[in-house]
Amino acid sequence: MRIKILMFTTVVLIVAIFSIFGYAAGKVSREDTVIFDVDGSAIANPFNFNWMVPGTNRNQGMHQCVWEPLFILNYETGEIEPWLGKSFLADQSLKTWTLKIRDGVTWADGEAFDADDIVFTIQTLLNDETQSLGEAANIQQWVESVERIDGLTVQFNLKSPNPRFQLDYFSVKVGGSAIILPQHVWQGKDPFTFTFYDVDKGWPFGTGAYKLVQAAENEFVYDRRDAWWGSETGFMDVPVPKRLVWIVSGAEESRAFLAADGQLDSIMDITLGAFEAIQDMNPNVIAWQDQLPYVWLDPCPRQMSVNHTVEPWDNPDMRRALSLIIDRQQVVEIAYEGTSLPSKTIFVQYAEMEPYINAVEDLWISPTADLVAGQALIEANGWAKNASGFYQKDDQELSLDIQTHEGFIEKRRVAAVVVEQLRAAGVMATARSVAGSTWDENQAFGNFEAVMDWSACGSVNEPWVSMNRYTQQFLRPIDQRSPGNNNFVRWSGAGAETYSQLVAQIGVLPLGDSAINPLVSEAMEIFMSEQVVIPITQARKLVPFDTTYWVGWPTQKNNYNHPCTWWNSTHQIIHRLRKADS
């Protein structure tokens, strides 16, 4: 009875809080408002809108409804669809790329969006000697120079051929792309410290159909701009919703209460049990699939990354031992309630990736544990079990501290199962949930033993992007920031050097080239023999939508694109929403 009272009280408080603050910026009816759940924990600095600075959030609504992308990859068709951009074509050498943007695009302050903005943004990233600004390392890896051809045309001159240049960096392939900066605002500003926030000046702004009207640690409110360039040029009508709100709902229990009460229209990833409970109370709630397992397969497989500079995990044998001890099928059954799949490699198991996954079939990870082999590797390195059943050497107990992101219940559940498996095998493992901003910074600077993460993410139709993340160009000492969190495990040595050379060869080959698979096989043989990271499961997303007020959400049947309302492609979703009673 006490639990029920506490639950009811929590619901009342949560609803009251969001009812007050969600509409404090002005009177807009619930029927004209779409409420989104923020993917993660509270925003550490809600008034910093400099997307380039590490740790700054952009999925609190800014890159979903204010900052528009140049292009959007449609996962359902495989096509790259134009938005601010019109075309992006390479010459025969694949070293010169020409971008053409739409005519008539304007910033929210009325200034024209043009080639100068794009050149300025890319040059800002090229000028970052620290490679710490978002996308700086990626742009510097490929771009030799960028130049304005005319007001609507930009030419990129690359250092090497790159057939994926548009796809990888300007098409919202995963999460987001480089956001173009308004030169007339950013010119002369320090890109490391400028926050792009000043209410009196109307900052921040973008080219999108919405403007920010309220920001707080747990809530962001955006109102529609009817004078949007898209409707004025005939590109697209203004979206129907008058107001968009992003809230940090917190724990899954809070998220479930809000969804059941109709206080969330777009709900972030939840467990199967929570989804079924919500549907019981609110039958208007739907998911990507209309029956079990309900989920969408996210492109970022889950893994455990171990710090290669921390003893004894600097030894590949010890990292392999961890991998062998983990029973991935059990993780799927317990942490995911059967709604995911064990990973075979570091890659997402999309149909487009099958040729590359099959090319390394001899390296596939077993879905079940090989406890005997794992313990044998540990014992071969001088560890023996003590009276407590944990391995010990020279009075030191074998331990592993696994950090998880406090905002993601999925990763916490995976870590909990892995911890129990490792402890049962003799490794004193613990899981520690930390604030999202701390979790990011700890990875970047090497302040961890292990993390439950998804940092091999990137490849969706070819293998290079994920493989490139562990190359030596990104290696930094502990206490120096890993560029873009690439190779934050600090993998180094002769094997890492050879691997990097092989990946560089893959990077310049045309998509589908017959030489790619043998290179992938050779490189991944090194990668897995040194157990650079420990793949665990595929990432499934159970992200419900409430159709009480709004319809038009993406589903497997209404599959105009994927259901990621935390990505830069959310503009597509917002523009397709219609009132449920219309």
Side-chain angles (χ1 to χ4, degrees), residues 503-543:
V503 173
Q505 294 179 52
I506 297 171
V508 300
L509 292 172
L511 296 179
D513 192 287
S514 60
I516 292 177
N517 279 12
L519 290 168
V520 169
S521 182
E522 187 177 352
M524 291 308 294
E525 175 71 40
I526 299 169
F527 189 93
M528 294 306 295
S529 69
E530 299 204 16
Q531 200 69 65
V532 179
V533 298
I534 301 171
I536 299 181
T537 64
Q538 293 294 288
R540 102 294 179 271
K541 286 288 187 180
L542 209 176
V543 283

Side-chain angles (χ1 to χ4, degrees), residues 327-343 367 413-414 417 421 536-538 540:
D327 187 324
R328 292 158 177 82
Q329 188 59 50
Q330 187 180 69
V331 172
V332 167
E333 292 167 0
I334 297 175
Y336 290 97
E337 302 167 278
T339 60
S340 187
L341 299 166
S343 286
R413 287 168 64 102
V414 170
V417 178
Q421 292 175 351
I536 299 181
T537 64
Q538 293 294 288
R540 102 294 179 271

Side-chain angles (χ1 to χ4, degrees), residues 51-232:
W51 67 267
M52 297 179 292
V53 173
T56 302
N57 285 71
R58 51 191 277 184
N59 68 347
Q60 80 288 50
M62 286 303 296
H63 85 164
Q64 294 105 310
C65 71
V66 175
W67 296 332
E68 296 179 301
L70 290 168
F71 302 91
I72 296 174
L73 172 65
N74 189 313
Y75 270 52
E76 295 301 297
T77 66
E79 299 296 318
I80 295 176
E81 299 176 355
W83 198 271
L84 294 179
K86 204 173 176 183
S87 65
F88 206 171
L89 303 174
D91 67 358
Q92 287 188 334
S93 72
L94 298 176
K95 290 182 64 176
T96 301
W97 283 77
T98 302
L99 167 66
K100 291 187 177 294
I101 60 176
R102 293 183 188 277
D103 192 8
V105 178
T106 57
W107 295 100
D109 65 354
E111 292 286 331
F113 170 90
D114 58 22
D116 292 326
D117 296 310
I118 297 168
V119 171
F120 173 79
T121 301
I122 301 303
Q123 197 59 56
T124 297
L125 299 174
L126 288 174
N127 291 343
D128 174 20
E129 295 180 358
T130 69
Q131 292 191 333
S132 63
L133 295 176
E135 298 295 337
N138 291 329
I139 294 299
Q140 290 180 31
Q141 180 176 358
W142 290 105
V143 179
E144 183 70 45
S145 64
V146 60
E147 56 187 296
R148 177 188 189 276
I149 302 303
D150 59 42
L152 301 176
T153 310
V154 177
Q155 181 173 299
F156 292 79
N157 305 305
L158 306 189
K159 299 174 182 178
S160 304
N162 185 346
R164 303 165 310 279
F165 187 61
Q166 176 191 14
L167 173 67
D168 288 350
Y169 306 118
F170 301 99
S171 300
V172 196
K173 188 174 72 169
V174 177
S177 296
I179 301 296
I180 305 303
L181 308 171
Q183 181 186 17
H184 63 283
V185 173
W186 282 78
Q187 187 83 53
K189 305 295 194 303
D190 184 341
F192 297 93
T193 60
F194 182 51
T195 63
F196 195 23
Y197 183 76
D198 188 315
V199 175
D200 293 336
K201 294 181 179 179
W203 299 346
F205 63 75
T207 59
Y210 291 85
K211 61 181 178 181
L212 178 74
V213 296
Q214 181 174 306
E217 191 177 57
N218 291 300
E219 182 180 67
F220 295 79
V221 181
Y222 304 84
D223 282 352
R224 192 177 66 195
R225 293 193 308 113
D226 291 337
W228 175 57
W229 69 267
S231 61
E232 293 175 348

Side-chain angles (χ1 to χ4, degrees), residues 17-26 28-30 32-38 59-62 64-65 210-216 218-224 241-248 263-267 550 553 565 574:
I17 288 169
F18 290 121
S19 293
I20 293 170
F21 291 101
Y23 308 107
V28 175
S29 70
R30 177 66 180 90
D32 288 314
T33 303
V34 184
I35 306 176
F36 294 86
D37 193 8
V38 171
N59 68 347
Q60 80 288 50
M62 286 303 296
Q64 294 105 310
C65 71
Y210 291 85
K211 61 181 178 181
L212 178 74
V213 296
Q214 181 174 306
N218 291 300
E219 182 180 67
F220 295 79
V221 181
Y222 304 84
D223 282 352
R224 192 177 66 195
K242 294 180 180 179
R243 172 165 290 175
L244 309 176
V245 180
W246 269 264
I247 63 172
V248 178
Q263 294 293 319
L264 275 179
D265 297 303
S266 172
I267 303 135
W550 299 97
W553 301 103
T565 57
I574 293 167

